[in-house]
Amino acid sequence: MASAAEIARRDEQSKTRTRWLLSLPALFIVFIAAIGPLFVMLAYSFMAKGDYGDVKPGEFSLDGWFSVLFQRDIFDDTVTLADAHLSILWRSVRLSVITTLATLALGFPTAYFIATRPRSTREVWVFLITIPFWTNLLIRTFAMQQVIRNEGVLNTLLMWLGIINEPIPIMYTDWAILFGMVYVYLPLMVLPLYASMEKLDFRLVEAGYDLYAGRLAVLRRIILPLVKPGIVAGSILVFVPSLGAYVIPRVLGGGKNLMLANLIELQFGAGRNWPLGAALSISLMLLVMVAMLVYVRNATRSGGGHG
Amino acid sequence: MPEPSPVPDARIAVDCHGIVKQFGEGPRALRALDNVSVAIRENEFFTLLGPSGCGKTTLLRMIAGFEYPTEGTIRLHGEDIAGLPPFKRPINTVFQSYALFPHLTVWENVAFGLQMLGWAKGKIEARVAEMLKLVHMEELAQRRTDQISGGQAQRVALARALAPAPKVLLLDEPLSALDYKLRKEMQIELKRMQSETGITFIFVTHDQEEALTMSDRIAVMSKGRVLQVGTPWDIYDKPAERFVADFIGETNFLSAAMVGIEEGVARVRLPSGIEISASLAEGYRPAGEATVVVRPEHARMVTTGGQLSGVVENIVYFGTDTHIHVKLDQGSTFMVRQQNSRSKSCGASVGDRVGIDIAPDAAQVLRD
Ligand SMILES: Nc1ncnc2c1ncn2[C@@H]1O[C@H](COP(=O)(O)OP(=O)(O)O)[C@@H](O)[C@H]1O
Ligand SMILES: [Mg+2]
């Protein structure tokens, strides 16, 4: 005869089996929609490039991966580092890190402000923060262009105020990309920050003041550790799309200030080098994954409370 | 009437004078505190007692520095502390919700205040160990605060607030979340810690029994006002107002006529026509009519005689004592509390005609 424990165990097993069966359709969609294309990219990156774009299926080649970092001189076959690729990579990482820090610096006080309003007005503020999502990214980027171009709002205003005599050229520089990315991705930082600050028990802040912590100490020792999940989430939400930004550097950075996504697009378009494009795409993905791993590992380690 | 107190000329630790606190503006403004003045002595266990919403927490928050009075001054050892932010006041709070830091361990919670004060590492370790020992929490020092029970959280909150050796400790209903048995235990513990540390405790509760058993002195509050300040004995035996008499313990109210006052003692005529002596409440304003209060245990049921008479309406047995409700001939109900003894019953049954004998000195005339 089966003991009660035995029956309970069998019941548990059959439940687990049912759950797997039920999630099969979802797993199938995930595979087709997300993992499948990735495998296609992975395969392309190991094929020889076709003469007019495309790839030569069945013809194995490491040229795509080789070209990510190196270039071969067409006359004497010497191998050198691909400076253009490295500078684009460096620009992408640098601008993404700065964007993340800038949105954090701007988003933190904003989220704190909203979280400390009375409950009824908080909703209004959150609503205002989400308004930019209503418009297309391209339109928002063009809006930014209207602000920062030579005859744009910013320069006109500064000249009218007499602070500058000549317009400051911002368009088609890294600054333009930075302004654009901070503007576009700021809500992605504010919302998760607000979500964790709203849960913050402000009586703990009072307890901190009561125990002789000044404003800075309360921020550092109580508020920051408690809203850390929001900081981590917001940073990921901003850093990942920044690294892969395409529209913003295309519109605001012009043809010279490329970022990784623009370089990839180039390979599938005018460059006619699909294997390189595929290899670059996978490199970008690996870069994001490594960055996330390092970041999350560090964030959780120092979050142990022994700060 | 001189007020008996355990420390007659102790120095004043916290002096609240004419405190008014108004929340909001215009017609929707709410007066949470209305001209409150209390002087809390050094080393005293002082209790603010009153029903929920009477302004106890608001007063405590102003002493801690989280709110600012609309009017009035708060002095700490004679010094006006209006300009001091909470983190510069040598006052600590045990919060109603405990407000332990969830990202820190028990040890780190207790050490927090000391670290903020910039104590040396060794000194902090010694002090935290001492505090954890005081509240019997040494073993759980490395636990996270979400891994301890309510009673333990309460102890940690206490240790955390006591660690910096504040001049005054504020406790906002610290025991209300605990179950009955634990509450009784902690009441004794709190008393012990107060006498061991010699720190002035300002304790808030809505539980009259708790206030009576723990306090050196009690301020009874209602609707933002302090009605009476005194020792538990004063508050219980010599209530000044109907609210105080009603809120603390059980009591009988009698409408009487004032006959005269002689050397601070009143002669009043009871509804039955019999005259008795009664003490006068502080601040009594002479009037023709008087409300007299008599505690149920200060009256006795008698078969003949007594100052009042009526018919037994109800008998409720409580184990240690019995409550006998007597419908007086004049209409109101009077309750007598009698100690039980093993050998005999209370000596009456429902429907009996009985007399009520009020003990000498038991009657008190209220001021309102
Ligand atoms: N920040 C505030 N804003 C508006 N009203 C408040 C505020 N704090 C307390 N009150 C009101 O003041 C009154 C007294 O509150 P409180 O001091 O918390 O009472 P208690 O602690 O005695 O229960 C209550 O009516 C409460 O609603
Ligand atoms: Mg309260």
Side-chain angles (χ1 to χ4, degrees):
Chain A
M1 229 176 76
S3 69
E6 180 82 355
I7 292 170
R9 200 174 55 82
R10 259 189 238 151
D11 185 47
E12 195 58 37
Q13 275 177 348
S14 80
K15 263 189 204 148
T16 314
R17 213 173 306 135
T18 321
R19 267 182 229 136
W20 272 105
L21 278 174
L22 283 174
S23 50
L24 263 184
L27 288 174
F28 183 71
I29 289 172
V30 165
F31 187 82
I32 290 293
I35 303 173
L38 269 179
F39 276 112
V40 173
M41 285 306 249
L42 193 63
Y44 274 23
S45 72
F46 287 107
M47 290 176 190
K49 67 171 180 170
D51 298 328
Y52 307 99
D54 210 334
V55 287
K56 292 181 177 149
E59 204 172 311
F60 180 81
S61 163
L62 283 174
D63 277 356
W65 283 99
F66 179 80
S67 316
V68 169
L69 290 179
F70 304 103
Q71 59 193 17
R72 182 171 281 137
D73 196 290
I74 31 174
F75 298 113
D76 56 10
D77 261 8
T78 49
V79 172
T80 49
L81 277 174
D83 293 334
H85 292 187
L86 286 181
S87 79
I88 288 171
L89 176 72
W90 171 231
R91 174 182 294 116
S92 295
V93 171
R94 186 169 38 113
L95 289 183
S96 302
V97 168
I98 297 174
T99 300
T100 309
L101 293 178
T103 49
L104 185 60
L106 292 172
F108 195 92
T110 311
Y112 190 86
F113 172 83
I114 301 175
T116 48
R117 292 312 97 191
R119 193 163 286 282
S120 50
T121 45
R122 273 185 231 166
E123 282 160 25
V124 178
W125 288 106
V126 171
F127 173 74
L128 289 177
I129 295 286
T130 57
I131 281 185
F133 289 134
W134 295 10
T135 44
N136 180 280
L137 171 64
L138 195 61
I139 293 170
R140 275 183 283 161
T141 311
F142 276 118
M144 197 61 189
Q145 187 181 30
Q146 294 312 307
V147 173
I148 59 178
R149 71 195 171 99
N150 281 6
E151 299 80 29
V153 179
L154 187 66
N155 275 315
T156 312
L157 184 73
L158 287 179
M159 287 197 330
W160 182 74
L161 287 174
I163 297 171
I164 52 170
N165 293 321
E166 306 252 300
I168 307 169
I170 305 173
M171 276 305 286
Y172 311 126
T173 64
D174 284 358
W175 284 104
I177 303 177
L178 201 59
F179 279 145
M181 293 210 296
V182 169
Y183 162 63
V184 165
Y185 296 131
L186 187 58
L188 296 180
M189 180 62 89
V190 172
L191 292 178
L193 273 180
Y194 165 73
S196 62
M197 271 182 206
E198 202 209 6
K199 274 184 272 159
L200 181 74
D201 184 354
F202 279 89
R203 286 174 297 191
L204 297 176
V205 173
E206 283 191 350
Y209 286 135
D210 192 65
L211 291 162
Y212 313 105
R215 284 171 209 291
L216 206 64
V218 164
L219 178 69
R220 230 170 47 78
R221 296 285 308 267
I222 297 166
I223 299 177
L224 279 182
L226 289 174
V227 302
K228 192 171 228 163
I231 297 176
V232 171
S235 301
I236 291 175
L237 283 182
V238 170
F239 181 78
V240 171
S242 297
L243 203 56
Y246 171 75
V247 170
I248 300 166
R250 177 76 192 266
V251 173
L252 300 177
K256 286 179 302 176
N257 301 62
L258 299 186
M259 282 178 65
L260 273 173
N262 308 108
L263 183 62
I264 294 169
E265 191 259 356
L266 207 57
Q267 305 313 321
F268 285 100
R272 292 186 186 169
N273 194 346
W274 287 25
L276 174 58
L280 280 170
S281 304
I282 291 171
S283 307
L284 172 60
M285 214 182 73
L286 290 177
L287 192 66
V288 168
M289 275 164 68
V290 169
M292 285 309 88
L293 268 178
V294 171
Y295 178 67
V296 171
R297 168 94 43 98
N298 279 332
T300 44
R301 191 186 307 139
S302 58
H306 293 265
Chain B
M1 177 170 49
E3 186 188 69
S5 77
V7 269
D9 7 278
R11 289 177 45 209
I12 301 299
V14 178
D15 185 15
C16 302
H17 189 77
I19 302 290
V20 173
K21 179 65 187 182
Q22 188 163 317
F23 288 112
E25 296 280 320
R28 298 198 55 193
L30 177 97
R31 253 186 192 216
L33 290 175
D34 190 6
N35 195 16
V36 166
S37 297
V38 280
I40 295 140
R41 298 168 186 152
E42 265 179 30
N43 305 342
E44 186 172 40
F45 198 118
F46 191 89
T47 299
L48 300 172
L49 172 66
S52 181
C54 71
K56 308 181 294 291
T57 299
T58 304
L59 183 57
L60 220 55
R61 286 172 59 78
M62 279 191 288
I63 298 173
F66 299 128
E67 307 269 8
Y68 293 95
T70 313
E71 280 170 43
T73 51
I74 300 175
R75 286 171 201 282
L76 179 67
H77 293 283
E79 234 179 280
D80 192 339
I81 51 172
L84 288 185
F87 50 88
K88 291 202 178 134
R89 299 187 181 191
I91 297 174
N92 288 143
T93 309
V94 176
F95 293 88
Q96 191 162 4
S97 55
Y98 309 148
L100 296 180
F101 303 125
H103 58 299
L104 303 180
T105 63
V106 166
W107 193 95
E108 289 164 335
N109 263 279
V110 178
F112 188 91
L114 307 177
Q115 289 165 347
M116 290 300 124
L117 286 172
W119 283 29
K121 231 178 156 127
K123 248 179 101 187
I124 292 179
E125 270 161 26
R127 181 68 175 170
V128 173
E130 183 189 339
M131 285 300 120
L132 289 177
K133 191 162 181 244
L134 182 75
V135 298
H136 309 303
M137 286 289 292
E138 300 110 305
E139 280 94 34
L140 301 178
Q142 294 312 321
R143 283 274 183 94
R144 286 228 323 264
T145 53
D146 53 5
Q147 296 168 330
I148 56 177
S149 72
Q152 289 165 340
Q154 211 276 322
R155 285 161 196 272
V156 176
L158 200 61
R160 183 178 74 172
L162 281 172
K167 293 217 169 99
V168 178
L169 187 73
L170 310 177
L171 303 101
D172 193 356
E173 311 212 14
L175 307 181
S176 59
L178 307 181
D179 60 46
Y180 182 80
K181 195 157 171 291
L182 202 55
R183 192 156 72 229
K184 291 279 148 203
E185 257 173 58
M186 281 309 294
Q187 285 177 2
I188 297 167
E189 288 277 287
L190 271 181
K191 268 306 259 193
R192 171 178 71 88
M193 283 171 214
Q194 197 260 334
S195 56
E196 273 178 28
T197 56
I199 292 171
T200 307
F201 275 36
I202 306 181
F203 183 88
V204 162
T205 183
H206 63 260
D207 181 342
Q208 44 106 2
E209 195 186 316
E210 193 165 278
L212 290 176
T213 53
M214 301 181 71
S215 320
D216 292 327
R217 286 193 309 149
I218 300 170
V220 182
M221 293 179 66
S222 167
K223 294 182 186 149
R225 294 193 314 121
V226 169
L227 301 182
Q228 188 173 4
V229 181
T231 62
W233 181 81
D234 284 337
I235 300 286
Y236 187 80
D237 273 348
K238 302 198 177 325
E241 289 192 20
R242 177 177 275 268
F243 179 89
V244 178
D246 208 19
F247 190 69
I248 289 146
E250 281 163 305
T251 200
N252 294 299
F253 295 97
L254 297 165
S255 326
M258 181 59 73
V259 179
I261 300 174
E262 218 173 291
E263 289 170 11
V265 178
R267 288 295 292 174
V268 289
R269 190 180 309 114
L270 295 180
S272 56
I274 294 175
E275 281 182 21
I276 59 167
S277 300
S279 53
L280 278 174
E282 246 179 87
Y284 171 78
R285 284 179 302 276
E289 281 166 16
T291 306
V292 173
V293 288
V294 179
R295 293 288 180 189
E297 64 274 23
H298 294 161
R300 213 158 45 88
M301 197 176 57
V302 289
T303 38
T304 52
Q307 293 91 340
L308 299 165
S309 60
V311 176
V312 176
E313 198 176 46
N314 202 357
I315 299 175
V316 188
Y317 178 71
F318 275 94
T320 53
D321 47 25
T322 302
H323 294 185
I324 301 145
H325 298 254
V326 178
K327 178 108 178 149
L328 296 182
D329 297 339
Q330 289 73 29
S332 60
T333 304
F334 192 100
M335 187 176 81
V336 175
R337 182 147 66 210
Q338 236 168 253
Q339 283 265 295
N340 289 332
S341 72
R342 275 186 78 163
S343 51
K344 59 179 175 45
S345 69
C346 72
S349 43
V350 174
D352 285 358
R353 256 205 91 72
V354 293
I356 290 165
D357 182 44
I358 297 168
D361 292 342
Q364 158 99 350
V365 179
L366 298 179
R367 75 167 165 239
D368 55 352

